[in-house]
Amino acid sequence: MITVERLSKTYRVADKQPGLAGTLRHFLRRRQRDVFAVRDVSFEIAPGEMVGFLGANGAGKTTTLKMLCGLIYPSSGQVLVAGHQPQRRHPDFLRRITLVMGQKQQLIWDLPPMDSLRVNAAVYGIPDRVASRRIAELSDLLELGEELTRPVRKLSLGQRMKAELLAALLHEPEVLFLDEPTLGLDVNAQMRVRQFLADYNRRTGATVLLTSHYMADITALCPRVLLIHQGQLFHDGALDRLASRLAPERHVRLELKEPAPAEAFTGLGRLDSLENCEVNLRVEPSSLTRVLAEVLERFEVRDLEVNDPPIDQLIGELFRQGSL
Amino acid sequence: MGRYWRTLRRFWGTALATQLEYQLNVVVELLAVVLSLGGSLLLLSLFFGPGRELGGWNWNQALIVQGFYTVFDGMTTAWLRPNLGAIVTYVREGTLDFVLLKPIDSQFWVSLRTFAPAGLSEVVLGLGLAGWGAHQSGVVLTPPLLVAVLLMLMVAAVILYSLWFLIAATSIWFVKTWNATEVLRAVLASGRYPLEAYPASLRLLFTLVVPVAFLTTVPAEVLLGRASLPLLALGFVLAGGFFAAARGFWLFALRHYTSASS
Ligand SMILES: Nc1ncnc2c1ncn2[C@@H]1O[C@H](COP(=O)(O)OP(=O)(O)O)[C@@H](O)[C@H]1O
Ligand SMILES: [Mg+2]
């Protein structure tokens, strides 16, 4: 369904100092810098697959997605989506895809979502009867009701995102591109959106490519993960393999009743920081239970927390260690 | 074609619904229109005393020009400004992406997406004023004359739209295009008086560079039955040329947008 071959995108940006002097200097001697947003990325996605596209901020997720939709031209490489070259934006191609962006909205701010939906129905040439049926079905799945007849500006962020999804899916696209659809939503709404996407994928067999920088989105939905870092594809495959590759250590935070010297922590993983009673350790998952048991035995512990490091930090660390 | 028609009806249906959310605005705008037209007429009467002429135009004939100017000012308020003025917002907020992903012509979308009914009152007032001026000038409105005038008004509308669109499309590069449209507006304001009221050098500028004359003076001359055929033909050629330029420039702008947008 989606074939990407050695795809690259280079943005040329002007290096301009702020202010009038900067503008003048820029005018006299144009200095340009290349930003390699996406470099030599190749992958294939089969029909009906649900793939997570993971990467830190600025990794190149949005740029890749926009090239797959035909919104920006690749600098080099080949893309084929649903049998079309996206950058031609052929009407047949546009009818078969959709794009949802967490930080942009297509619904008209001052009007109820229903009005925007009716505009979309006309644009895609969907007869009213069919459109009404689809709206009823989708709003059922999305748990949207009277919200559809309330002005968009009066909806919560979660309700608005669900209405956005409805608007994006009205024409029954075969390929869904979702760019951070859960951005800024509370945990509950995030779960609702995820649940819906999983259902939708199962019911319609649509192909889904979902970007996120929340690990939880991807763990919940996508058996296959593409990880991109600084524009390059770093991992393509099952999630567990990535997780163990990325998150070999757990973060353990301790609050002790009395301060202890650094030597007291030998054999308890790697000591990250030690400040009076507050201790941060990094522990291999395999020895986590042993370490926790020993900690509780050796010290009087007031508080204890075990965390997965956030994905941004993990990826950053990984690359600092130079394990690529 | 049917799909475009249905889409247009939906576009304007939703636009009307938005306006109705702010009913008071409609009343206030209507009042503003009447006041500003009154002001313009007062100013015009200072130039033309009864029985006096300016560049071969008397008061009643100048009313026709003023009337057509009011029509196009109304068209700008009702149609051009709300749509073409919003292109900047589409670019700044990135929602142009959604337009480009719709299986419909993007120029159609950005040109006709919305509609401000308040401007219609100005169009009606302007037509009334032109009609009154024509009546006072002793014009007999035969069907062929009516068709000719309507054709010329359409030519004028196409020229005006294309000029606006060309400027608005530059917002793909410069997010601050608003000033440029203000300049255009000021130049167009010169169209409220007959072309011959200006010095010859300005006249040339208005006819050739920014064809303001074709917006108001030429249709008025058609109505008065004194336009020459070559001038009318030139109007059609200009309208076609400007429209093609606007279309070409939009496609060029989109190519730029798709190679560098964020
Ligand atoms: N229009 C643009 N012009 C210049 N650089 C850009 C533009 N859009 C994105 N970039 C740069 O390209 C890189 C990738 O950005 P993006 O694809 O938005 O990342 P992500 O979506 O993963 O956060 C970043 O370094 C970003 O600054
Ligand atoms: Mg992004």
Side-chain angles (χ1 to χ4, degrees):
Chain A
M1 192 54 108
I2 301 175
T3 314
V4 175
E5 229 172 276
R6 310 207 57 172
L7 184 66
S8 299
K9 177 71 190 179
T10 310
Y11 290 111
R12 173 146 294 177
V13 293
D15 248 339
K16 187 168 84 65
Q17 256 81 59
L20 182 65
T23 308
L24 281 179
R25 209 171 309 136
H26 172 66
F27 187 74
L28 293 174
R29 194 154 43 93
R30 277 183 153 327
R31 260 199 300 178
Q32 292 189 319
R33 190 165 48 88
D34 285 339
V35 177
F36 300 98
V38 175
R39 284 185 279 184
D40 245 355
V41 167
S42 306
F43 57 85
E44 262 180 56
I45 297 177
E49 244 190 307
M50 196 152 181
V51 176
F53 200 25
L54 202 57
N57 267 323
K61 304 183 295 292
T62 302
T63 303
T64 307
L65 231 50
K66 281 187 164 186
M67 286 192 282
L68 294 181
C69 295
L71 281 173
I72 51 182
Y73 286 26
S75 302
S76 67
Q78 296 292 320
V79 185
L80 214 58
V81 175
H84 287 274
Q85 283 188 310
Q87 65 263 39
R88 296 226 168 116
R89 288 207 305 279
H90 192 280
D92 178 57
F93 166 74
L94 297 177
R95 284 170 192 280
R96 295 168 69 170
I97 65 150
T98 201
L99 172 68
V100 176
M101 291 183 272
Q103 66 280 63
K104 295 179 190 175
Q105 54 163 33
Q106 64 165 314
L107 297 173
I108 306 162
W109 187 246
D110 278 329
L111 291 179
M114 196 53 111
D115 288 43
S116 300
L117 292 175
R118 284 163 48 83
V119 167
N120 274 7
V123 166
Y124 286 98
I126 307 167
D128 281 337
R129 211 160 23 83
V130 179
S132 305
R133 204 192 61 228
R134 287 185 196 165
I135 292 173
E137 278 172 19
L138 285 168
S139 52
D140 224 37
L141 277 175
L142 284 162
E143 296 168 11
L144 282 170
E146 52 84 35
E147 290 92 344
L148 288 181
T149 52
R150 233 194 292 159
V152 172
R153 68 183 130 84
K154 292 188 181 151
L155 299 181
S156 73
L157 194 60
Q159 292 166 333
R160 213 184 302 156
M161 182 39 73
K162 290 196 289 182
E164 281 285 329
L165 279 169
L166 210 175
L169 296 175
L170 192 61
H171 60 289
E172 298 192 321
E174 295 160 42
V175 185
L176 276 58
F177 296 110
L178 303 151
D179 194 12
E180 317 226 3
T182 53
L183 193 73
L185 300 188
D186 64 60
V187 180
N188 243 327
Q190 279 186 25
M191 247 160 55
R192 204 83 48 72
V193 167
R194 260 180 234 144
Q195 188 62 47
F196 169 77
L197 290 173
D199 276 355
Y200 187 85
N201 168 257
R202 203 166 339 102
R203 281 164 38 113
T204 63
T207 310
V208 181
L209 182 57
L210 169 87
T211 86
S212 182
H213 62 261
Y214 298 132
M215 190 68 160
D217 278 342
I218 309 288
T219 21
L221 289 176
C222 308
R224 177 177 164 202
V225 171
L226 301 172
L227 184 109
I228 187 170
H229 183 74
Q230 293 179 348
Q232 284 175 309
L233 198 62
F234 169 72
H235 175 90
D236 177 357
L239 184 69
D240 0 335
R241 264 189 34 232
L242 175 66
S244 56
R245 213 168 137 192
L246 273 184
E249 294 177 324
R250 294 289 137 86
H251 287 198
V252 178
R253 199 183 66 81
L254 296 173
E255 218 182 297
L256 304 179
K257 206 142 187 196
E258 281 155 19
E263 301 84 64
F265 296 94
T266 37
L268 299 179
R270 202 149 58 80
L271 188 61
D272 228 12
S273 71
L274 172 67
E275 237 175 76
N276 290 329
C277 296
E278 176 136 351
V279 187
N280 282 293
L281 294 169
R282 298 206 191 185
V283 184
E284 294 287 331
S286 54
S287 53
L288 185 65
T289 40
R290 180 188 59 80
V291 167
L292 290 184
E294 261 181 59
V295 162
L296 293 175
E297 199 173 293
R298 278 196 217 173
F299 309 100
E300 231 178 304
V301 176
R302 206 183 282 155
D303 192 15
L304 183 150
E305 236 177 76
V306 182
N307 283 317
D308 278 341
I311 192 82
D312 279 20
Q313 192 184 330
L314 277 179
I315 297 168
E317 241 167 64
L318 187 78
F319 281 83
R320 238 176 290 122
Q321 289 164 12
S323 40
L324 185 73
Chain B
M1 221 49 229
R3 187 161 60 91
Y4 277 79
W5 179 235
R6 182 163 162 242
T7 303
L8 187 62
R9 286 209 322 263
R10 287 281 156 82
F11 277 173
W12 289 5
T14 55
L16 276 177
T18 332
Q19 306 280 324
L20 290 181
E21 290 249 308
Y22 306 96
Q23 278 166 1
L24 188 65
N25 279 6
V26 177
V27 178
V28 171
E29 274 172 64
L30 194 66
L31 215 66
V33 163
V34 171
L35 283 179
S36 104
L37 184 61
S40 300
L41 288 177
L42 196 70
L43 199 65
L44 194 65
S45 70
L46 294 183
F47 288 120
F48 295 93
R52 263 211 285 160
E53 285 203 350
L54 196 63
W57 294 73
N58 64 29
W59 163 253
N60 284 323
Q61 294 166 339
L63 279 188
I64 303 179
V65 175
Q66 178 74 48
F68 284 157
Y69 175 78
T70 309
V71 169
F72 288 114
D73 203 48
M75 199 176 87
T76 305
T77 310
W79 169 38
L80 299 177
R81 197 139 23 108
N83 284 296
L84 306 183
I87 294 179
V88 177
T89 322
Y90 294 147
V91 174
R92 195 179 41 222
E93 289 173 5
T95 45
L96 185 59
D97 289 348
F98 290 118
V99 179
L100 296 181
L101 288 183
K102 296 281 187 290
I104 201 159
D105 188 82
S106 56
Q107 188 176 357
F108 169 81
W109 179 295
V110 299
S111 299
L112 294 165
R113 179 64 191 83
T114 183
F115 181 77
L120 283 186
S121 53
E122 225 180 333
V123 172
V124 172
L125 269 178
L127 286 175
L129 188 61
W132 168 253
H135 177 72
Q136 292 296 94
S137 310
V139 171
V140 184
L141 205 59
T142 58
L145 184 61
L146 186 64
V147 169
V149 170
L150 287 180
L151 268 179
M152 254 1 254
L153 288 178
M154 247 147 72
V155 161
V158 170
I159 292 176
L160 183 62
Y161 161 78
S162 306
L163 275 175
W164 256 88
F165 191 81
L166 275 167
I167 289 180
T170 58
S171 53
I172 298 238
W173 288 270
F174 318 107
V175 174
K176 263 198 187 159
T177 301
W178 201 228
N179 294 339
T181 57
E182 282 309 313
V183 172
L184 178 67
R185 203 170 161 69
V187 173
L188 293 179
S190 64
R192 67 173 72 207
Y193 306 120
L195 185 65
E196 285 78 3
Y198 295 95
S201 50
L202 277 182
R203 229 179 280 169
L204 198 69
L205 180 78
F206 289 162
T207 332
L208 292 180
V209 184
V210 190
V212 177
F214 281 93
L215 299 185
T216 54
T217 306
V218 174
E221 287 187 325
V222 172
L223 186 56
L224 291 167
R226 59 188 204 197
S228 61
L229 214 57
L231 196 63
L232 298 188
L234 180 62
F236 274 95
V237 170
L238 270 180
F242 269 96
F243 189 79
R247 179 76 191 165
F249 189 62
W250 179 243
L251 296 179
F252 172 71
L254 286 187
R255 268 204 302 284
H256 174 80
Y257 182 82
T258 47
S259 68
S261 73
S262 56

